[in-house]
Amino acid sequence: QVQLVESGGGLVQAGGSLTLSCAASGIIFSINAMGWYRQAPGKQRELVASITSGGTTIYADSSVKGRFTISRDNTKNMVYLQMNSLKPEDTAVYYCFANTPNKNWGHGTQVIVSS
């Protein structure tokens, strides 16, 4: 089992920045890809970005390219999501995930972007 704990969410004005962090614990050696999904009110959960243990990144949502940066520190078992130029449409609960290859989830952290 892998446990994931997110932090760093909050309320920010449009144009602002936030950095989300996710700490992994448990059977760490089994983790391959890690990353972030988000779920806006009334919408399905969607992939934002992922990163493999080797550092290959995928930004699944074209609206975040150039604004969000995913990174990973394997020595600390952490994954980060740097979010810049935030927009109200980025408002969502952000969930960290880790593939082992089962998908493990954190409990989520709320991001609210005010206009």
Side-chain angles (χ1 to χ4, degrees), residues 16-107:
S17 298
L18 283 174
T19 299
L20 305 183
S21 301
C22 175
S25 61
I27 308 177
I28 304 300
F29 69 87
S30 62
I31 295 176
N32 183 7
M34 298 183 72
W36 298 89
Y37 277 69
R38 67 183 179 184
Q39 187 166 19
K43 295 187 177 181
Q44 289 189 328
R45 194 175 296 190
E46 61 179 10
L47 177 66
V48 177
S50 66
I51 183 167
T52 67
S53 56
T56 300
T57 60
I58 295 175
Y59 294 92
D61 188 338
S62 60
S63 70
V64 308
K65 289 182 180 178
R67 298 191 298 122
F68 291 10
T69 303
I70 189 169
S71 61
R72 179 170 175 173
D73 186 337
N74 292 326
T75 65
K76 297 181 179 179
N77 302 315
M78 299 285 294
V79 64
Y80 307 95
L81 187 67
Q82 173 69 44
M83 305 185 294
N84 298 325
S85 302
L86 282 161
K87 304 175 182 180
E89 50 264 43
D90 295 318
T91 294
V93 178
Y94 285 71
Y95 296 90
C96 176
F97 77 89
N99 291 341
T100 62
N102 294 331
K103 201 168 229 74
N104 302 269
W105 295 100
H107 292 294

